[in-house]
Amino acid sequence: MWHEVKAAHDAGEIRAVEIRASDYVGGGVGPNQSMLVRYAQAAAAGRRVSVFGSADVLHTFTYVSDVAQTLLTVAQEPAAWGRAWRVPSPAAVTIRGALKSLTDVLGAPSPRIRTIPRWALWPAYPFVPLLREVDEVLYQWESDFVMDHAAATELLGLQPAQWDQIIADLAGQVRTPQRS
């Protein structure tokens, strides 16, 4: 789709820019939009966290405020148009590390984590459409999924939120669950 939009931009038919982000976290992002929020709710409640893929591979999470800042910046910068930008995001973390940071802030016990292998999902595919969708993106949770946002940092001067700020926001969300 981006190639079609880019071609229209290059032809002068439209002005376009694409913003790419990893998994969202932050205010307004509920458990139906973020695996980390879903896992965080279980960890904060002291329940065992069932993780798809691996809890120990690196994963980039993108703070929604950083998405908004990136959108605002590229919209106001004509030199940024006509290309795709990755939203600056904090250093990749593991699910285990993210949940440990969260439970430390909450003063809760360390998270108990169980991983669910891909093959264990297969029998449910005919009955649970969401699991079929999970299967399509599970590769992001089975090996490192790290996003490089150097261009947005270097060329647009954008910086990601600090991980501590993101964890504090997440802690506030799980203390006061939001509807999604």
Side-chain angles (χ1 to χ4, degrees), residues 51-100:
V51 174
F52 295 115
S54 171
D56 298 308
V57 296
L58 292 173
H59 194 85
T60 298
F61 292 96
T62 302
Y63 195 49
V64 291
S65 294
D66 290 336
V67 174
Q69 184 60 52
T70 303
L71 288 167
L72 182 63
T73 300
V74 300
Q76 296 175 345
E77 182 57 57
W81 301 347
R83 69 175 283 185
W85 296 92
R86 292 188 183 114
V87 176
S89 301
V93 297
T94 65
I95 290 292
R96 188 177 310 280
L99 295 178
K100 177 72 170 108

Side-chain angles (χ1 to χ4, degrees), residues 10-32:
D10 291 345
E13 298 168 10
I14 61 171
R15 290 186 208 140
V17 64
E18 182 172 278
I19 302 302
R20 298 176 182 170
S22 193
D23 291 280
Y24 296 132
V25 65
V29 177
N32 292 334

Side-chain angles (χ1 to χ4, degrees), residues 41-164:
Q41 288 178 330
R47 296 189 313 265
R48 180 179 306 259
V49 181
S50 297
V51 174
F52 295 115
S54 171
D56 298 308
V57 296
L58 292 173
H59 194 85
T60 298
F61 292 96
T62 302
Y63 195 49
V64 291
S65 294
D66 290 336
V67 174
Q69 184 60 52
T70 303
L71 288 167
L72 182 63
T73 300
V74 300
Q76 296 175 345
E77 182 57 57
W81 301 347
R83 69 175 283 185
W85 296 92
R86 292 188 183 114
V87 176
S89 301
V93 297
T94 65
I95 290 292
R96 188 177 310 280
L99 295 178
K100 177 72 170 108
S101 296
L102 174 71
T103 55
D104 286 351
V105 166
L106 293 172
S110 291
R112 295 173 297 130
I113 298 174
R114 169 183 62 172
T115 58
I116 303 170
R118 181 186 295 262
W119 60 263
L121 303 176
W122 295 337
Y125 287 171
F127 312 105
V128 185
L130 177 61
L131 289 181
R132 288 193 302 270
E133 292 178 31
V134 167
D135 184 69
E136 292 178 17
V137 295
L138 200 53
Y139 69 93
Q140 298 174 16
W141 305 98
E142 294 173 326
S143 59
D144 291 347
F145 189 78
V146 179
M147 191 173 73
D148 177 6
H149 61 262
T153 298
E154 293 167 10
L155 301 174
L156 301 175
L158 296 170
Q159 295 294 323
Q162 296 297 308
W163 185 247
D164 291 346

